[in-house]
Amino acid sequence: MGPSEWVYLNGRICRAEEAVISPFDRGFLFAHAAYEVTAVFDGKLIDFEGHVARLQRTLTGIDILTEWTDEQLEYIHRELIRRNQLTEGFVYFQVSSGAYGNRDFAGPETLVPTVFMFCEARQLIGEKARDGVAAILVEDQRWKRRDFKTTQLVSQALAYRDAARAGATSAILFEDGYVTEAASANLWVVTAEGTLVTRNLGHQILPGITRQSVLARLAESGLAVEERAVSLDEIRNAREIFTTAATSMVLPVVSLDGAPVGTGQPGPITRRVQALYYRAIGANLGMHAPWVTEASAGPHG
């Protein structure tokens, strides 16, 4: 699977091969750009309001001002979903600081953005969610405002390349003796003592929309979670590790730096969180995730 046929560029929907962006675009020259990705399940946008709010916060933070309304953005998203007949996958929303025909660090006083959107069809709940993935630890080399969702992704791309060379799927980032998050997802750890922990919000990590949704589900279910930094010793001795993101939802990590995490299989808390989130997006557990046990799914599985 790959990007779908119909895309949106600067006010119009067109075929992907017709979409042309200037080589002088500041997104290309300076990575002065933001993006969002919203999951689509059963043709419905998941956690859309949270994604739009985060996009607007990021754009304000990197000095790209817009006058879009949430309703306008939702209409474009839904129109792309309709045109591409997308039932499961993602909608990517890319916003750069525009093209001005030259290479100037500051650019004009008012930045007129380039807006590009595309869909990608992909199964959201599949084998990786069922079986888990391997990860490696990689030192975090990103810029200091990781709470903005920008296209400055070279550090994450290199971390994923390191993981692939090591025969792993994912990378978990760390600095100063503590983990921050996964290369493109928020991180959750069940410690050796059985405590569920995820990193507290701040400039060090992205405020994940799926993370926010999972926290809400956990509060409703009565499952306690601590929001704090996790040390390298804690993660190396963890009972369970999983990540959350729009593109992977709730993803178990069953191996870290070649050593099994816990039993080497997705653990009971991970399964419980998967069940809570899958139900929240409207998934039928028996159809989409039969490997989530009735014990973890609860009485409404």
Side-chain angles (χ1 to χ4, degrees):
M1 297 182 184
S4 299
E5 179 181 8
W6 294 97
V7 303
Y8 174 94
L9 178 63
N10 293 337
R12 72 185 188 99
I13 292 177
C14 61
R15 296 185 186 277
E17 62 268 22
E18 298 170 359
V20 178
I21 297 174
S22 169
F24 290 103
D25 193 279
R26 291 174 59 83
F28 176 64
L29 296 179
F30 302 114
H32 190 174
Y35 79 104
E36 271 297 336
V37 54
T38 303
V40 176
F41 187 80
D42 194 23
K44 300 173 184 176
L45 290 161
I46 305 300
D47 297 326
F48 181 71
E49 291 182 359
H51 286 288
V52 170
R54 185 173 63 183
L55 175 67
Q56 298 287 23
R57 176 181 176 274
T58 296
L59 290 174
T60 299
I62 63 174
D63 205 24
I64 301 176
L65 303 181
T66 69
E67 297 180 352
W68 306 320
T69 66
D70 292 359
E71 291 75 18
Q72 288 172 322
L73 296 182
E74 183 174 359
Y75 173 80
I76 299 169
H77 277 71
R78 294 193 183 283
E79 185 62 15
L80 272 185
I81 290 170
R82 185 188 70 81
R83 288 283 191 101
N84 289 298
Q85 300 181 349
L86 182 69
T87 57
E88 189 170 350
F90 317 110
V91 181
Y92 282 89
F93 191 171
Q94 313 279 144
V95 185
S96 85
S97 50
Y100 307 97
N102 58 14
R103 189 181 189 278
D104 174 23
F105 274 95
E109 181 177 354
T110 300
L111 300 168
V112 179
T114 297
V115 181
F116 176 61
M117 297 173 61
F118 66 95
C119 298
E120 184 173 317
R122 194 189 306 175
Q123 183 182 19
L124 298 180
I125 306 173
E127 293 180 357
K128 290 180 180 178
R130 181 191 66 196
D131 301 334
V133 300
I136 63 170
L137 289 166
V138 176
E139 186 174 2
D140 202 333
Q141 303 283 348
R142 297 173 297 166
W143 76 316
K144 292 184 178 181
R145 292 310 304 268
R146 302 161 191 163
D147 52 320
F148 294 150
K149 194 172 179 69
T150 70
T151 60
Q152 298 185 62
L153 298 172
V154 65
S155 294
Q156 293 94 313
L158 292 175
Y160 271 111
R161 290 177 69 82
D162 286 344
R165 292 187 185 102
T169 299
S170 184
I172 294 172
L173 308 179
F174 70 91
E175 63 182 358
D176 301 327
Y178 291 89
V179 295
T180 46
E181 54 189 341
S184 61
N186 292 126
L187 185 70
W188 303 69
V189 172
V190 180
T191 68
E193 295 73 31
T195 304
L196 177 59
V197 183
T198 191
R199 180 86 183 219
N200 54 299
L201 295 182
H203 292 175
Q204 300 85 357
I205 71 168
L206 185 72
I209 305 307
T210 306
R211 173 190 182 277
Q212 175 182 311
S213 181
V214 166
L215 282 171
R217 306 292 172 253
L218 293 176
E220 294 170 358
S221 72
L223 184 58
V225 57
E226 291 184 6
E227 294 184 63
R228 62 170 175 82
V230 172
S231 71
L232 287 174
D233 284 342
E234 282 184 298
I235 197 169
R236 287 174 175 139
N237 292 286
R239 291 185 187 179
E240 301 178 42
I241 302 172
F242 62 91
T243 64
T244 54
T247 51
S248 55
M249 296 196 169
V250 182
L251 182 65
V253 175
V254 296
S255 171
L256 183 64
D257 284 342
V261 174
T263 64
Q265 301 291 329
I269 292 181
T270 303
R271 289 303 194 214
R272 182 173 174 183
V273 174
Q274 286 180 318
L276 288 169
Y277 188 73
Y278 294 163
R279 281 206 304 262
I281 68 170
N284 180 303
L285 296 182
M287 179 185 302
H288 297 102
W291 31 266
V292 174
T293 67
E294 287 298 320
S296 60
H300 303 293

